[in-house]
Every structure is written in C-alpha cells, then in structure tokens.
Amino acid sequence: MTATPARYTILICALLMPAADAVSDIQPKEFSYTYIEATIASTTIDLGASPHDIEGNGIGFGLSLGFDPNLAFTLDVLSTTFDVFQHIPVETIKTSRIGVTAHNKLEVSTDVFGNLSLVKADISMFDGIAETTDSDIGYDISFGIRHYMKEPIELEVGFSHMYVFDYAAFNADIAIRVHSSKGLSLAFSYITGSNKEALLLSGRVQF
C-alpha cells in the first residue's frame, strides 16, 4: 500500500498512543513495575492544509512485569479506528510493542525512567470495495519522570521518539494518576506531537 502524507500523520498519531503507558503503577512513595492496564483513547489530527480535523478512537491493553530491582518487561497493544474524511476511507491501525523499562529512584517520591521497545504496526483500510493492508516494524524510545505529589496523586511527564514506516515522530505527554489503597488506579493523560492531540483514560491493577 502506498501511504499518503495524511495516512502517515494518522499512523503516527495512533502509534504514539501507548507512550503514556510505558511505565508502572505506584503505592504511596513506593514504585512498583508489575501491573495490567486497559486504556481508551480519543485522538484529533490536524492535517495542516485542511481546515478540518480527523477524529479517531482506540482501545488498548498493557502489561508490565518487573524482573529486577531496576528493570521491567513491557508489552502493550492498541487498536485505533479513524473516521472517513475527504475521501480517506476508514482505517484501523493496530500497534504491538514489546520492550524493557529501566528505572531509578531520585528520592523517596520521585522516579526517572526510560523505555526501549520494538514496535509492529498493522494498517487495515477499507474503501467500500476491497480491503488493503500493510505492516512494518520499527522502534520507540521514551523517557520521563514520575513524582508522587500528595496522597493519592501521582504526576508523570514524558517524551518519546518513534520510527516506523520510514517516518520519525516525537511527542510529549503529561498524566495525572489517582491511586487507591487496594492497588487500583485511574489516570487521565494528554499527549501532543506530530500534528495531533490525544486524551487517554486508563485503569490499572498492580500486583
């Protein structure tokens, strides 16, 4: 499939969605890196030359398993569907990531982290007659800082660089996570970069 600039913009937007979920859950002033997570995402893409935007909605699942005091294995999957706009058919983009997170404590309530992941991207496009598919393998590098502000609130700020389909993209994200005493948490995230903005809502269970 030959990808147009608009499709590249859509693709990179979808690929970046899991970036805010590449880190772990937290107990008061203690960070844990073993959890499962579910995420829903709403994305708005600015095509630049057009006065209109493209809207997309996605759902994803993530897993993190700590295997060392400073390392964790990560796996996540996100599927996003975008609306029809100016003869662009509905597209579904599925991204799968597998990687490793390294983290270190700066002080009792602050952690710094970095993640390196292999990314597999699959595109499925239907034009009303036939379905066209394409796939590629790339990488994602992210880093950031997490800070336990005040019980039960955590603040996270991060940045990432992704390369897939011969296209490089950068983004920044900020998240507020509210924790319960039973290992459950709910987060609201905002991501921006590569002509797009996204809002994410995620629920996490720590083990």
Side-chain angles (χ1 to χ4, degrees):
M1 180 183 71
T2 300
T4 64
R7 290 205 182 100
Y8 274 129
T9 301
I10 294 172
L11 169 66
I12 296 304
C13 174
L15 291 175
L16 290 174
M17 289 308 95
D21 305 323
V23 295
S24 69
D25 203 357
I26 184 176
Q27 292 286 348
K29 298 187 179 181
E30 292 294 333
F31 295 83
S32 171
Y33 285 78
T34 299
Y35 67 85
I36 58 173
E37 183 171 45
T39 301
I40 57 175
S42 176
T43 304
T44 301
I45 302 175
D46 181 4
L47 295 181
S50 172
H52 303 286
D53 297 327
I54 294 179
E55 303 292 334
N57 295 296
I59 184 169
F61 299 93
L63 169 70
S64 179
L65 297 173
F67 62 90
D68 180 89
N70 297 102
L71 296 172
F73 165 81
T74 58
L75 173 68
D76 62 68
V77 179
L78 179 75
S79 180
T80 305
T81 298
F82 291 90
D83 297 338
V84 174
F85 172 74
Q86 290 187 347
H87 307 294
I88 298 176
V90 170
E91 294 190 33
T92 298
I93 301 172
K94 178 182 178 182
T95 57
S96 304
R97 304 171 191 239
I98 183 170
V100 174
T101 293
H103 55 91
N104 193 43
K105 188 175 293 295
L106 295 181
E107 51 97 7
V108 68
S109 59
T110 305
D111 225 13
V112 61
F113 65 86
N115 178 272
L116 175 62
S117 293
L118 184 70
V119 178
K120 185 176 185 295
D122 298 287
I123 302 174
S124 176
M125 183 180 65
F126 184 67
D127 61 6
I129 300 176
E131 184 179 53
T132 304
T133 62
D134 196 7
S135 64
D136 193 28
I137 293 178
Y139 66 85
D140 180 52
I141 301 173
S142 62
F143 64 94
I145 190 168
R146 303 170 61 216
H147 178 67
Y148 189 77
M149 298 170 61
K150 182 179 181 182
E151 189 176 356
I153 300 173
E154 174 194 349
L155 172 68
E156 178 184 318
V157 178
F159 304 89
S160 71
H161 164 74
M162 168 164 300
Y163 186 84
V164 70
F165 284 106
D166 297 321
Y167 189 93
F170 302 87
N171 80 312
D173 65 84
I174 184 169
I176 297 292
R177 182 171 294 275
V178 180
H179 300 268
S180 75
S181 60
K182 297 183 179 180
L184 305 176
S185 64
L186 188 67
F188 179 78
S189 307
Y190 172 75
I191 301 176
T192 183
S194 299
N195 302 319
K196 68 96 176 57
E197 294 183 337
L199 298 176
L200 288 78
L201 181 65
S202 62
R204 187 177 289 176
V205 181
Q206 172 189 318
F207 295 98

